[in-house]
Amino acid sequence: MIATTPPLIRLPLAPTQLPFMTEPPKCLTEDGSWCAEVWRLTGNEWLAASAGWLVAKPLKILLIFAIAFVIRVLVRRLIDRLTSGEGKTPALLRPLKERAPQALGALVSERRQQRAKTIGSVLKSLVTFIVYGLAFIMALGELGVNLGPVIASAGIVGVALGFGAQNLVKDFLSGIFMMLEDQYGVGDVVDVGEASGTIEAVGLRVTTLRDVNGTVWYVRNGEILRVGNSSQGFAVAVVDLPVGYGADVDAVIALLGRVATEVAGEEPFSSDVIEAPEVLGVEKVTPESVTIRMTVKVRPGRQWAVQRALRARTMGAVEEAGIQPPMGRLFPPTAPA
């Protein structure tokens, strides 16, 4: 028989006996570190000593951003719930002052939704900036970065951007305060100085309105120094009627009061009139005419329709009563042929 030697059984070497492994690192004695676990798995002194940078810190940074993401999602959902009214006033707007005129009808809901949507968009942007900003600062702290110079540099950059984009910042801040104070909204008839008309859209930077000629105006919020809103609270329909210099003023006042009361009691103006019409009397006297003024307190936005109806009705009533028209003494009626 041919003698054979039994195969050698190779026993696993201890980590310190492997050719690429060295002595155990000193970090094994630190409590709560990843050093011992990495040393047990790899047996590499460099990997074990760098476990904090290679494993612990990346995991902490990922955990920080994961928590920041969850917080951002939850807060944004809360903002969406507060800004969705489903036909009612959104919960976000209830503590704020609202001047939306009820005369706008269906536009009131659109106005509220746009206002809530815009404010919600601002809040979402602020939440994203704050949450991710804090997460980024915490991540830099985990990496051992000195945050003092970073914060100082960010402040300098912010100041530089503020000077460079001060018009944009001005428009943005003006839009925020306008939204919070509800100075105007969709459907309001406003006068902003250079342009006047009906508001079609309200943004944080630009307000869009359309005038009576159909022209659309885009007005930067930061450039609006004053706003005349004709659609808040109530309005006053003012009608000035000129009559001849020799007309009986008392008779004209009585006639105008009767006609205005009739118009205010008829549809569709009866629902628009808040208080009874009032004839104030003589407003202006000139060599050509005497102007009689009457006013009616109406719902906001309905003053122009009431004024047109009153003018049309009073002109016909004055003519039927034979009251001398303006300039009548200069152009006496001719005798019929």
Side-chain angles (χ1 to χ4, degrees), residues 316-328:
V318 167
E319 185 176 355
E320 290 179 2
I323 297 175
Q324 182 182 1
M327 306 286 290

Side-chain angles (χ1 to χ4, degrees), residues 60 155 225 312:
K60 288 183 179 180
L225 301 180

Side-chain angles (χ1 to χ4, degrees), residues 189-208:
V189 179
V190 299
D191 181 355
V192 294
E194 296 295 332
S196 61
T198 304
I199 298 292
E200 290 192 344
V202 177
L204 288 176
R205 196 182 70 86
V206 174
T207 294
T208 305

